[in-house]
Amino acid sequence: MNFLHSDDLSREQINEIFEMSDKLKGMNKRPLKKSSPILALLFEKSSTRTRISFESAMIQLGGSPIYIDSRTSQMSRGESLGDTAKVLSGYVDIIAARMYSQQDIEELARHAEIPVINALTDLEHPCQALSDMYTIRNEFVKVEGLRIAFLGDIAANTANSLMVTASKLGAGISLVGPKGYMPDERYVKLAKKYANVEVTSSVKEGLADCDVIYTDTFVSMGQEEIAKERKALFSGYQLNAEALRYAKKGAKVMHCLPAHRGEEITADVIDGGSSMVWEQAKNKMAVEKAILLYLLNAKS
Ligand code: CP
Ligand code: NVA
């Protein structure tokens, strides 16, 4: 089984992974010690959290990680994804790949004989969304009926994956971005199958009654050349104290990180009492452990 799209897991599977994450969170025994599987982290883009949390997760489970930077592998000299996948399948037991394009990770998975995990593409960040919903579920206990607002780049990979995972668990979604800047219709359609999804350019309306406000960088990896235009486009969609006042009293703030204080979020908000970002980052490891165990068919 692969985990390439947020929609690959059913609600039941997500809840099973959350229960596994609960057990794995503080556990120091190594459930994979006997089989000692190897995880290849095949990354085309930079990473701090996803890379290190997956590496530490695999070590703490009793397996081993190997990091492969695509820029120093033969991929940089034109070796095909198919050949790379076939070769890696003979060396390692599972792959987590961070790639520019969703099509490329799908191509990699088609040729791999082992499970492939999406560690971020242009369209999806499914492990992040799963772990973020785990953080929300731990904070609010019941996800069903919550209202989650995504403020800023509502067409980003993070927004796509979050709207599908959150709606599948019964949370309503409010996508708040500049007029004329629309979310990816495919993901909105998918999310609408499970819960209510609203799209608005009004920060006041979009954030009203929200339990959680989520934001992400205005300039995703690969968009550096158009950074100036993007920062200007989203300038009215900063998560600051004024925006926070529109949400429910006690609403929580989330950001997948890395954050750019003064751009998509202000320092007082990310470092303030409403912020769950450090707990959110920490939880990635427990959830990734559960994903690894789940896909390797092991027991927690
Ligand atoms: N949130 C996240 O994926 O961070 P990294 O880019 O550091 O992995
Ligand atoms: N949307 C961001 C997420 C980083 C974790 C990006 O793709 O760069």
Side-chain angles (χ1 to χ4, degrees):
M1 180 185 174
N2 298 317
F3 184 36
L4 302 179
H5 298 271
S6 299
D7 205 34
D8 285 347
L9 297 176
S10 67
R11 187 179 180 147
E12 291 68 35
Q13 286 173 312
I14 295 173
N15 283 323
E16 199 179 325
I17 288 175
F18 286 176
E19 279 161 31
M20 288 169 80
S21 309
D22 286 340
K23 286 193 217 157
L24 289 160
K25 216 171 167 183
M27 189 201 268
N28 51 20
K29 74 175 197 221
R30 300 175 176 243
L32 294 177
K33 198 173 162 192
K34 256 204 193 128
S35 54
S36 331
I38 297 173
L39 163 70
L41 290 139
L42 180 61
F43 277 38
E44 287 182 345
K45 298 182 185 180
S46 308
S47 171
T48 298
R49 278 145 291 273
T50 310
R51 173 186 173 177
I52 308 301
S53 55
F54 260 117
E55 289 194 15
S56 296
M58 198 50 162
I59 294 167
Q60 287 193 359
L61 287 172
S64 307
I66 298 176
Y67 181 73
I68 311 159
D69 182 340
S70 67
R71 287 161 289 201
T72 54
S73 79
Q74 295 290 8
M75 278 169 70
S76 67
R77 300 181 62 248
E79 184 161 21
S80 75
L81 287 165
D83 289 356
T84 305
K86 280 184 220 147
V87 171
L88 286 182
S89 300
Y91 300 153
V92 306
D93 303 281
I94 187 162
I95 299 172
R98 172 166 284 199
M99 318 209 76
Y100 278 97
S101 121
Q102 179 72 24
Q103 269 176 333
D104 282 355
I105 201 168
E106 284 169 20
E107 168 80 1
L108 185 86
R110 242 190 317 277
H111 292 91
E113 289 144 27
I114 53 177
V116 177
I117 300 169
N118 183 343
L120 183 145
T121 61
D122 55 345
L123 287 185
E124 291 242 15
H125 201 358
C127 300
Q128 181 74 46
L130 203 57
S131 142
D132 293 341
M133 290 314 300
Y134 177 71
T135 301
I136 291 173
R137 166 255 203 195
N138 289 359
E139 173 68 25
F140 292 90
V141 184
K142 196 165 172 252
V143 172
E144 214 164 351
L146 291 178
R147 185 169 150 90
I148 302 173
F150 196 104
L151 179 66
D153 188 0
I154 53 176
N157 40 18
T158 320
N160 289 343
S161 293
L162 187 72
M163 74 175 101
V164 173
T165 311
S167 62
K168 203 173 262 196
L169 295 174
I173 308 295
S174 171
L175 300 166
V176 192
K179 211 170 182 160
Y181 184 83
M182 297 310 282
D184 189 319
E185 209 32 62
R186 292 166 296 180
Y187 288 91
V188 173
K189 201 169 154 200
L190 202 50
K192 276 188 174 165
K193 267 184 16 194
Y194 308 114
N196 182 39
V197 182
E198 283 164 29
V199 184
T200 177
S201 59
S202 160
V203 177
K204 192 174 175 183
E205 273 171 34
L207 266 47
D209 293 329
C210 279
D211 301 280
V212 176
I213 313 173
Y214 197 115
T215 192
D216 183 12
T217 180
F218 292 158
V219 187
S220 283
M221 289 179 275
Q223 299 175 330
E224 292 77 9
E225 279 180 17
I226 49 163
K228 219 172 137 193
E229 292 99 289
R230 291 186 60 86
K231 285 181 198 173
L233 174 69
F234 294 112
S235 63
Y237 294 85
Q238 184 186 64
L239 182 40
N240 52 32
E242 191 193 335
L244 192 54
R245 273 197 291 278
Y246 296 135
K248 241 184 210 167
K249 199 164 179 269
K252 296 291 177 191
V253 165
M254 298 181 81
H255 190 312
C256 59
L257 303 176
H260 309 83
R261 288 172 176 74
E263 291 182 16
E264 74 275 6
I265 195 161
T266 52
D268 58 325
V269 170
I270 194 169
D271 299 318
S274 307
S275 173
M276 296 207 289
V277 302
W278 312 119
E279 182 62 15
Q280 181 186 356
K282 196 167 161 189
N283 281 337
K284 279 173 76 96
M285 202 163 106
V287 175
E288 286 161 0
K289 278 184 188 173
I291 295 168
L292 287 168
L293 280 186
Y294 195 86
L295 295 187
L296 288 165
N297 277 327
K299 291 269 171 278
S300 57

